[in-house]
Amino acid sequence: KEQGFTGHSDNWFDDDEFKKQFTVDLTSQKHDYYFGSYSNFYIHEEMLKDTNRTETYRRAIENNPQDFKDKIVMDIGCGTGILSIFAARAGAKHVYAIEYAEIALFAQEIVKRNGLQDKITVIKGKMEEIELPVKKVDIIISEWMGYCLLYESMLDSVLWARDKYLAKGGKMLPDRAIMYVAAIEDGEYKS
């Protein structure tokens, strides 16, 4: 059993135990590093435990049922499906949860165990390659922001989906972001 950073260093981390957390074989030649990294339960646990992030999305969705009632919603990069579940609870007519990583298989089970399989359809595939069963959606939700806002590189997929699938007058959540940048100089780094 792993001991983390306690005990003798030989017992700190076990590669086999770590690999068991993945839902995909990361040694495969077909492995896509970016999407494969989201097949690890750890990254989803970390995001779900970020209560500021998760609660902000929950409040933004569930506290605005008038925006979601009877709407068709698309959740891009749904991960475990938490935002899709919030949208269904807020009254969405149907949610299409898009996820390319293997975690999509677990999202399907999570949706089922929450009794929402009639309201949420998980579609495993790349956003730009899937075919939605509807022509347009009323709302696009996505947690596309990463470290330093753009790290996860999902913004392009969200904008592509907006241009193809968002109905006229449709909404996006989030629909804006602000990035503050300041120049610095580190004299020791330069030399």
Side-chain angles (χ1 to χ4, degrees), residues 52-79:
N52 286 329
R53 169 197 168 275
T54 305
E55 281 299 304
T56 297
Y57 274 100
R58 187 192 62 74
R59 285 191 307 270
I61 295 169
E62 291 185 354
N63 290 353
N64 292 290
Q66 70 282 357
D67 290 330
F68 287 85
K69 184 168 177 34
D70 298 324
K71 301 293 187 196
I72 303 296
V73 178
M74 179 167 44
D75 178 1
I76 302 171
C78 74

Side-chain angles (χ1 to χ4, degrees), residues 87-128:
R89 291 192 329 204
K93 181 177 182 180
H94 201 83
V95 181
Y96 294 98
I98 316 303
E99 179 58 64
Y100 184 58
E102 299 298 315
I103 199 73
L105 305 174
F106 289 88
Q108 289 175 328
E109 185 63 24
I110 292 167
V111 165
K112 183 179 174 184
R113 289 190 184 197
N114 280 276
L116 294 168
Q117 63 272 27
D118 294 335
K119 288 258 187 197
I120 301 172
T121 300
V122 178
I123 301 173
K124 186 181 180 316
K126 286 185 180 177
M127 183 68 245
E128 296 83 354

